Amino acid sequence: MLAPKIRNLNLLLVCFVSGLAVATARQQELPIVRFTGEKCELAIAWTGEIKADLTGSSFESWLAQPEIMDGFRAIRKLIDENSERAEPQAIRIANQMFDLALQKPWVLSLDEFDPAALKVKFAAQLGPQAAALEKSLQELEAQNPEKFTQFEINGAKFTSTSPDGLPTVEYGFFEDHLVVATGAGELQVLLARAKANTPAWVTELRNEMPIERLAGLVRVDFRRLTQLLKDSDEADVPPELHLEEFEEIVGVFGFDGRESITRIALHCPPHLKGVLKSWDVSPMNLTDLATVPDGIDSMFAAKFNPQQLWQILATNEQSKSDVEEFAETLSQDYGIDFERDVLGSFGEYVYSYQQLSLVNPASSGILAFRVKDPENFSVRLAEIVESLADDNENFSIDSEDNKNGTLYSIVPNGEPQGIPIPTPSFQLVDDQLIFALDSKAISSHLRKASRTTGKITDDVRVAALFDKEKNGGLGQPIGIQYLEVNTLVEVFYSVIPMLAAGPMADAGFNMEDLPPLDIVTNGVEPDIIGVYRTPAGFQFLEKTTLPGLTTATPVMIGLLLPAVQQARNAARRAASTNNVRQLLLANHNWESSFRTFPPAYTKDAEGQKLLSWRVHVLPFMEENELYEKFRLDEPWDSPHNKALIAEMPATFVHPELKLAPGQTVYLGVTGTAAAFMPPATPAEKNAVTTGMNMAQITDGTSNTLLIVEANADHAVTWTQPADLNVDEIEDLVGALTGNWPGRQIMLGFCDGSVQMLQEPTNEQLKKMATVNGGEVIDR
């Protein structure tokens, strides 16, 4: 089904907001923004009018084409027909709200990013159409009256509903506005803002990023968002990025003349840190693009400091080892200091462009760096090439002198017969070191660069990005992106029949309802973006026919970062839960075979500890081949057994923690009255020794711990006879917390279940650790 069943007002609002297209408007004021408040951490506002007009902006005229409108109607009809019929009233309300949102002003705000107290506020100025929507909502409420509660604020009637597992939703109509808030009592806060003035941040945003026809605006408190992630231990972003430097992300959307304009600003302090410092550079000039031809499909050009970026990568925990290995290989094998000899020779300017070619894709892409001292670098380049090619088994480097200098081509050794392989090539021409996947691409580039016309600089829209009077006073950019949207559309349209025809037909969609390709690409200008360094930080200026293709990325990063982190965290937690569950299953399979759980470890006749239970359950984890390699009558750290530590199965690897090789945090619970008990007899070849049997667990298997997930401070070598001894560790909570947000701990019980508990006490854990304490465990 294309549309999920809408079960409550919360989901209805999500459907409504997520389905909105970019709105356009001619009005310049946004009185609706007063509902956002002065201190909200997220705000999105739209002016509310969308106008399909052949005489309007390029986007409006593109939208007004009959074939485009028919395509939208077909998709809308398909969604309606595939919506489940169990609650048609809810579907009708969703459609009403969607239609009104394309025509009327609305705002969506979030007072706090705190997921535990999510306070979403929404207001839409509906005018006369409010009555029809109010009637539809009343009909929905009448169908399930027990789910809705009526209340009053200053004599006006409103409605409250509390869907299972979701925050309370309060909504109603204030004058000609629909108002909605999550959280008990939050609607009254929203209504109080109706009498407030326009928030100061809106005025500041409008002054910072003027636009002829405002369509909408957005604001994200990025610093608060970053801090929230750090506080919750869910951030997985390298500290070298210094994301806390970004104070907020703000943006406006609309039109200047016929062009769609998107402007996004990233506010940060004037003195940058980390990776951001790599872009603290002087701006570009239009002449920097003088060698880039026209007729290309994509281009990127920018100023940045390559040495600064390399130094940051060299100190980043995630990339440090790779960087050091790469630099050490070049130094030892070829005598090349990459940072000094290569990066130290590069200037701040780099550009790349691509012209798609189905005949020879490798012949149309160029990457070029500007060098500081071309004459000296030419000599050093020849020396580097000689060092790299000297007795190299994998490739040779051919050189060819031409009027522009020396062209070098990397030729793989042992090229298969009859199979053309790209020969990466590079050449220093004037002050540019040019790279390509084929030498023909460099020849073509140089031929076009020598022309006096046919350059990207001739494009008036590109040139306007460098004109202070045409780019809103931003001056010259530090980066440029150019994208031929029609090329992407053509590629996309060519694969739709192959990838989506079957599923779309199954859903009832007729492929003939799609607008023809020539209509979709009609009047669509290339997407161009300028990136500017400003006193407030950075600003992205996008000019295009179809709004928000690229500059929406910073905003989406800001909005999706928590969701991405939480999803990643949830995935890792699920992986760890599965590991514990598999280990519990292995122990249960052991118990089914031998009528006891395995002992915590085995020992020899002299009482010396040999191998952990983690080794002896290997046959019950489909790891019998590894198990057979162990010498069961030797301790875990004997020379023979120690060599097997590196073969630790993946089930013992924690998906989140960075531990030494062979280390695990999946520990058995041991102690005087714990489920993992010492062996009663010496080790035998099959390691069948007396352990705890089910009858001895008088507290019940669902109340007794078997395996826990400890933190990194309590990690052990997986073969080692060491676990979590509750008699020896006073602070059990401290030994188990730190892996997951909110001081949650992962526990595996004797009945095979896995549970996450948040902030249990040491007393609770000690009760769970005993098999026969007779305690009543409250959890």
Side-chain angles (χ1 to χ4, degrees):
M1 303 298 285
L2 293 185
K5 181 178 180 180
I6 301 178
R7 299 184 180 276
N8 53 58
L9 187 59
N10 273 30
L11 292 181
L12 183 148
L13 289 175
V14 170
C15 176
F16 160 45
V17 173
S18 64
L20 292 176
V22 175
T24 67
R26 300 186 181 279
Q27 60 194 68
Q28 292 303 298
E29 298 303 322
L30 275 176
I32 192 77
V33 295
R34 68 187 187 276
F35 284 98
T36 63
E38 191 62 61
K39 296 183 179 180
C40 63
E41 295 179 351
L42 166 68
I44 303 173
W46 300 104
T47 55
E49 289 186 3
I50 185 166
K51 187 175 182 181
D53 183 0
L54 290 172
T55 63
S57 68
S58 59
F59 172 63
E60 289 171 311
S61 60
W62 175 85
L63 187 64
Q65 297 176 96
E67 294 86 350
I68 298 292
M69 297 299 292
D70 288 343
F72 282 133
R73 293 189 189 99
I75 294 173
R76 170 64 177 276
K77 180 181 178 182
L78 180 66
I79 292 174
D80 289 346
E81 291 177 349
N82 282 273
S83 297
E84 294 198 29
R85 304 299 181 181
E87 296 184 27
Q89 185 69 22
I91 301 298
R92 183 159 65 87
I93 293 172
N95 290 339
Q96 282 181 284
M97 296 178 73
F98 178 82
D99 293 338
L100 290 172
L102 297 179
Q103 307 169 38
K104 302 297 179 180
W106 60 268
V107 293
L108 177 72
S109 64
L110 188 65
D111 289 357
E112 297 181 50
F113 282 121
D114 185 1
L118 201 60
K119 298 177 181 179
V120 180
K121 293 180 173 62
F122 175 82
Q125 185 177 355
L126 305 183
Q129 289 89 342
L133 181 58
E134 183 174 16
K135 180 180 178 182
S136 296
L137 286 170
Q138 289 173 349
E139 293 174 357
L140 178 64
E141 295 162 11
Q143 293 176 3
N144 301 282
E146 71 281 358
K147 295 183 179 180
F148 301 91
T149 302
Q150 308 300 319
F151 67 99
E152 292 187 1
I153 299 178
N154 298 328
K157 294 182 178 181
F158 297 94
T159 303
S160 172
T161 182
S162 300
D164 294 338
L166 295 172
T168 297
V169 179
E170 298 177 339
Y171 64 94
F173 293 84
F174 170 75
E175 296 177 350
D176 60 349
H177 293 74
L178 168 67
V179 287
V180 184
T182 62
E186 290 302 314
L187 187 62
Q188 190 162 1
V189 177
L190 178 61
L191 293 177
R193 295 174 180 172
K195 300 178 181 180
N197 295 323
T198 299
W201 65 265
V202 175
T203 303
E204 294 169 1
L205 186 156
R206 297 291 304 278
N207 291 336
E208 179 184 3
M209 294 184 285
I211 196 167
E212 183 181 320
R213 293 173 53 201
L214 181 65
L217 53 84
V218 63
R219 178 190 186 225
V220 180
D221 187 338
F222 198 79
R223 176 168 290 177
R224 167 63 178 151
L225 188 62
T226 303
Q227 188 60 49
L228 183 67
L229 290 174
K230 288 186 175 181
D231 291 345
S232 65
D233 297 325
E234 293 187 13
D236 192 21
V237 180
E240 291 79 9
L241 292 179
H242 285 280
L243 286 184
E244 71 278 359
E245 291 291 294
F246 286 125
E247 297 164 354
E248 64 178 359
I249 302 174
V250 294
V252 295
F253 310 85
F255 301 91
D256 277 349
R258 283 185 52 81
E259 279 198 300
S260 300
I261 303 293
T262 304
R263 301 181 67 166
I264 301 291
L266 283 69
H267 292 165
C268 57
H271 302 292
L272 302 177
K273 299 178 182 179
V275 173
L276 299 179
K277 191 172 178 60
S278 302
W279 280 269
D280 199 4
V281 293
S282 59
M284 294 171 54
N285 294 303
L286 184 60
T287 54
D288 288 326
L289 302 176
T291 58
V292 179
D294 61 7
I296 58 179
D297 293 310
S298 65
M299 176 197 69
F300 175 77
K303 286 284 197 73
F304 82 106
N305 187 327
Q307 281 186 295
Q308 177 72 29
L309 185 59
W310 174 263
Q311 291 168 4
I312 292 168
L313 293 174
T315 58
N316 184 336
E317 289 186 5
Q318 297 180 356
S319 59
K320 182 178 180 180
S321 59
D322 293 334
V323 167
E324 290 178 346
E325 182 180 355
F326 174 75
E328 186 176 355
T329 299
L330 287 181
S331 176
Q332 292 184 353
D333 295 353
Y334 306 108
I336 299 171
D337 186 323
F338 183 74
E339 183 176 0
R340 182 196 66 199
D341 298 338
V342 180
L343 296 182
S345 301
F346 286 171
E348 294 181 334
Y349 179 62
V350 60
Y351 69 89
S352 174
Y353 70 80
Q354 180 77 28
Q355 184 174 5
L356 296 180
S357 171
L358 298 178
V359 178
N360 187 1
S363 67
S364 56
I366 288 292
L367 172 65
F369 292 88
R370 182 171 290 161
V371 298
K372 298 175 183 177
D373 187 344
E375 184 174 347
N376 288 332
F377 183 70
S378 177
V379 176
R380 186 58 184 139
L381 180 62
E383 294 172 350
I384 291 174
V385 168
E386 184 177 355
S387 297
L388 289 174
D390 187 26
D391 296 327
N392 197 301
E393 298 179 357
N394 300 316
F395 61 85
S396 59
I397 301 181
D398 293 345
S399 61
E400 175 187 342
D401 292 332
N402 54 43
K403 64 178 181 180
N404 295 300
T406 303
L407 174 67
Y408 299 98
S409 297
I410 302 175
V411 181
N413 292 337
E415 178 178 345
Q417 294 295 323
I419 302 177
I421 295 180
T423 54
S425 304
F426 54 95
Q427 183 168 4
L428 179 65
V429 180
D430 297 328
D431 65 345
Q432 294 184 10
L433 180 60
I434 306 168
F435 295 85
L437 290 178
D438 193 297
S439 60
K440 298 183 183 64
I442 295 179
S443 301
S444 175
H445 167 75
L446 295 176
R447 185 173 62 255
K448 293 175 181 177
S450 65
R451 302 183 313 199
T452 56
T453 59
K455 305 293 183 64
I456 197 71
T457 52
D458 298 331
D459 189 312
V460 295
R461 298 172 71 245
V462 172
L465 294 178
F466 292 81
D467 190 330
K468 191 173 183 178
E469 294 183 359
K470 297 179 180 179
N471 63 24
L474 290 172
Q476 295 174 307
I478 61 171
I480 292 288
Q481 177 176 299
Y482 177 96
L483 181 64
E484 184 57 70
V485 178
N486 280 347
T487 300
L488 295 182
V489 173
E490 290 171 3
V491 172
F492 175 71
Y493 251 57
S494 67
V495 300
I496 285 180
M498 294 183 291
L499 300 180
M504 293 179 74
D506 293 341
F509 186 82
N510 188 346
M511 295 293 289
E512 294 181 358
D513 289 333
L514 287 176
L517 177 61
D518 62 331
I519 295 296
V520 176
T521 58
N522 182 37
V524 176
E525 295 278 3
D527 183 272
I528 60 170
I529 295 176
V531 183
Y532 302 84
R533 186 76 169 92
T534 69
F538 296 89
Q539 191 172 140
F540 296 75
L541 171 63
E542 177 186 41
K543 295 188 175 185
T544 184
T545 299
L546 306 178
L549 283 178
T550 309
T551 45
T553 301
V555 176
M556 294 308 296
I557 291 174
L559 295 178
L560 294 179
L561 187 56
V564 170
Q565 296 296 347
Q566 290 177 11
R568 180 182 298 152
N569 190 278
R572 290 171 176 171
R573 184 166 59 186
S576 187
T577 301
N578 186 63
N579 287 346
V580 175
R581 186 173 288 116
Q582 292 301 316
L583 294 177
L584 290 171
L585 179 62
N587 277 273
H588 271 261
N589 288 338
W590 174 291
E591 195 277 336
S592 296
S593 297
F594 302 117
R595 301 305 177 188
T596 70
F597 284 119
Y601 53 86
T602 51
K603 62 183 180 181
D604 61 18
E606 286 73 36
Q608 180 185 19
K609 294 181 180 180
L610 300 178
L611 291 162
S612 166
W613 64 269
R614 285 176 289 269
V615 174
H616 293 298
V617 298
L618 288 175
F620 300 92
M621 299 168 54
E622 299 183 358
E623 293 283 354
N624 193 65
E625 183 177 349
L626 174 59
Y627 181 65
E628 292 292 339
K629 294 180 181 180
F630 281 91
R631 293 177 180 172
L632 302 181
D633 57 351
E634 294 182 6
W636 70 278
D637 55 353
S638 69
H640 175 84
N641 286 342
K642 195 171 183 178
L644 299 174
I645 292 174
E647 298 187 39
M648 181 175 73
T651 306
F652 295 113
V653 178
H654 195 276
E656 174 75 8
L657 303 178
K658 294 178 175 62
L659 305 173
Q663 294 262 296
T664 187
V665 291
Y666 300 119
L667 310 182
V669 177
T670 64
T672 304
F676 271 112
M677 59 185 293
T681 60
E684 301 172 6
K685 184 175 182 180
N686 60 4
V688 179
T689 55
T690 303
M692 180 71 64
N693 61 55
M694 289 287 192
Q696 293 173 281
I697 307 177
T698 58
D699 283 349
T701 56
S702 62
N703 294 319
T704 305
L705 291 174
L706 186 66
I707 296 172
V708 295
E709 177 202 72
N711 56 33
D713 292 338
H714 291 78
V716 301
T717 301
W718 75 281
T719 59
Q720 182 182 2
D723 288 284
L724 186 81
N725 191 315
V726 296
D727 296 337
E728 299 175 356
I729 298 178
E730 186 66 27
D731 184 11
L732 292 176
V733 174
L736 303 182
T737 55
N739 297 347
W740 311 110
R743 294 179 63 79
Q744 294 184 91
I745 63 174
M746 187 175 296
L747 306 174
F749 291 83
C750 289
D751 65 346
S753 66
V754 182
Q755 296 183 29
M756 294 289 293
L757 293 189
Q758 187 165 4
E759 295 188 343
T761 65
N762 281 309
E763 183 181 1
Q764 287 175 313
L765 290 176
K766 286 183 180 295
K767 288 179 179 180
M768 295 178 198
T770 60
V771 298
N772 55 5
E775 307 96 343
V776 177
I777 301 174
D778 181 20
R779 52 185 165 94

